[in-house]
Amino acid sequence: MNPLALISQLLEIVVALALAPLLTGWVNQWRAWLQNKSAPSLLQPYRMLHKLFNKDSVVAEHASPLFRVSPYIVFGCMTLACAIIPTLSTDLPLASAADAIALVGLFALARVFISLAAMDVGTAFGSLGARREMLIGFLAEPALLMVLFTAALISHSTSLTNIVETLGRRELAIFPSLAFAGVAFTMVSLAENARVPVDNPATHLELTMIHEALILEYSGRHLALLEWAASLKLFAYSCIGLALFVPWGVAEAQAPMALLLALPALVFKLGIGGILLAVLETLSAKMRIFRVPEFLCTAFLLAVIAMLVHILLGA
């Protein structure tokens, strides 16, 4: 195995684990500023994780082993997802073993386990959140696949590294297919990460919460792993968007100097993306849960239109 490829792979995992909570804190800070509120510290997510890891976990007596192991599986799935997305370099050993379809499968696997764990204890909120989570996943995953297939048609490969290399070498222009796919991906990422207008991560109101209902029964290190996994999921979706629509700055194989410049470029792009996400959440209103299927069906329709535009127009 190429030592540089191994270094790139390990660096991607370390950067994802380190920057994911920082991205969450960055979005929360800008969201508070835009709403004219006192913003929390940028390091608040790290402090929360440190506090939770130092607390004991309280587990219900009738909870099965599935409830205890699910946080580790969800965290592992999100870490692996971040590892196969080319954020710093396209020279990744894990990329050859997983493509865009496997990436969506990792998100689906994590969703299944966290939903089963939420229903395992038998509380009303857990079952409510699990049903809503599976509804969103049932509608969001096909739309995400269509977005990835649009990029795959352009690069003639479902490999994420090949997609990034192909799109990164194209001249700077607005392609209609990618424009439709970008809007669809934005809608899907908002739903998958429990952001406004689909969900509000800052509320615990039982009539509206989705993600928070899934983790109400967790505490201590289990809750810390799930919160960290949620940050990793936001980081992963942000990196997917950057890889598909802003692929410039990612180092190619056998380019050690480009790898040194890839990290500042990634931080800069994530910073701009976090600000845009905060602006979008500030300008949007929380929609009713019964309108979410219409929202995600629109995203699926836009993703299909993106594929058709590329097939018919080649653009």
Side-chain angles (χ1 to χ4, degrees), residues 25-295:
W26 177 251
V27 174
N28 294 339
Q29 197 173 65
W30 270 94
R31 185 179 176 183
W33 285 340
L34 293 172
Q35 295 176 358
N36 200 23
K37 296 179 181 179
S38 179
S41 171
L42 191 63
L43 303 179
Q44 183 61 33
Y46 297 102
R47 296 170 181 168
M48 180 190 66
L49 292 176
H50 179 267
K51 179 181 68 175
L52 292 175
F53 273 120
N54 285 279
K55 286 188 174 183
D56 294 331
S57 296
V58 180
V59 181
E61 293 182 358
H62 54 282
S64 70
L66 175 66
F67 184 84
R68 295 175 173 85
V69 75
S70 289
Y72 300 95
I73 295 178
V74 174
F75 180 80
C77 288
M78 293 301 106
T79 303
L80 185 57
C82 292
I84 65 177
I85 301 171
T87 56
L88 298 176
S89 173
T90 57
D91 192 10
L92 303 175
L94 290 179
S96 60
D99 59 359
I101 301 175
L103 178 64
V104 178
L106 283 174
F107 291 134
L109 180 64
R111 175 180 291 107
V112 168
F113 271 94
I114 194 173
S115 299
L116 290 176
M119 294 186 293
D120 182 71
V121 181
T123 61
F125 284 163
S127 300
L128 178 145
R131 292 174 181 177
R132 291 178 175 178
E133 179 71 13
M134 295 306 295
L135 171 65
I136 291 176
F138 171 75
L139 298 171
E141 287 170 5
L144 178 59
L145 278 173
M146 293 299 104
V147 171
L148 295 174
F149 285 162
T150 301
L153 287 174
I154 296 174
S155 61
H156 305 288
S157 173
T158 58
S159 172
L160 292 170
T161 55
N162 292 337
I163 291 174
V164 172
E165 289 178 348
T166 302
L167 296 178
R169 292 171 181 171
R170 302 185 71 171
E171 66 275 8
L172 181 60
I174 298 177
F175 298 93
S177 58
L178 289 181
F180 282 110
V183 176
F185 177 79
T186 301
M187 299 171 70
V188 170
S189 61
L190 290 175
E192 286 280 64
N193 290 280
R195 313 298 301 193
V196 177
V198 176
D199 192 13
N200 188 353
T203 183
H204 281 77
L205 183 62
E206 62 271 14
L207 296 178
T208 62
M209 62 181 177
I210 301 176
H211 173 72
E212 296 298 327
L214 295 170
I215 61 177
L216 277 178
E217 298 301 319
Y218 281 104
S219 60
R221 65 181 182 278
H222 294 152
L223 181 58
L225 287 173
L226 290 175
E227 292 289 357
W228 202 351
S231 297
L232 285 170
K233 188 175 184 179
L234 178 61
F235 182 88
Y237 267 87
S238 301
C239 290
I240 294 174
L242 295 178
L244 296 181
F245 308 109
V246 195
W248 302 280
V250 179
E252 296 186 2
Q254 305 297 328
M257 295 306 297
L259 186 61
L260 296 178
L261 300 176
L263 181 57
L266 175 64
V267 173
F268 175 76
K269 291 188 289 185
L270 287 176
I272 299 299
I275 296 175
L276 294 178
L277 176 58
V279 171
L280 185 60
E281 285 193 299
T282 303
L283 297 177
S284 304
K286 171 73 174 64
M287 68 174 61
R288 297 176 60 190
I289 189 65
F290 301 107
R291 300 297 300 273
V292 173
E294 299 177 10
F295 181 81

